[in-house]
Amino acid sequence: MSFAKQLPAALKEVRLHLCQTGSSSSGLRKFIQSTYPALKSTNPDLKVLIREAAGIEPRAFARFERGAETQIPLSNLSEKDVSAALARLFSASSPNA
């Protein structure tokens, strides 16, 4: 994963919401399986919450310093596209970025 070592210090929490079986979440599921270990090993203090619920749209939420939060939809994206979308999300230092 290219962005794991370059996460901004302002990033405090990542939440990933996905469906366990839905096809629209398949790219996010693959991303989690392949990239989560590297993400946590390079950023052990970063809170990463993975929430599974039947029938929901896959989304990623990033919480930054002072509670600023932003989100991005991840429906029907490939694993590579999920990685690129998360890199953009994580590089945003505030919801207005």
Side-chain angles (χ1 to χ4, degrees), residues 21-53:
T21 58
S23 61
S24 66
S25 295
S26 66
L28 181 54
R29 283 194 304 272
K30 289 177 185 174
F31 173 84
I32 291 168
Q33 290 172 343
S34 67
T35 309
Y36 177 80
L39 178 65
K40 280 307 288 182
S41 68
T42 56
N43 301 282
D45 295 329
L46 178 65
K47 294 178 186 174
V48 179
L49 307 163
I50 300 171
R51 301 291 184 241
E52 296 177 318

Side-chain angles (χ1 to χ4, degrees), residues 1 11 14 16 19 22 31 36 48 74 78-79 83 88 93:
M1 174 171 60
L11 182 62
V14 175
L16 302 173
C19 178
F31 173 84
Y36 177 80
V48 179
L74 300 172
S78 68
E79 180 181 354
S83 181
R88 286 191 307 273
S93 60

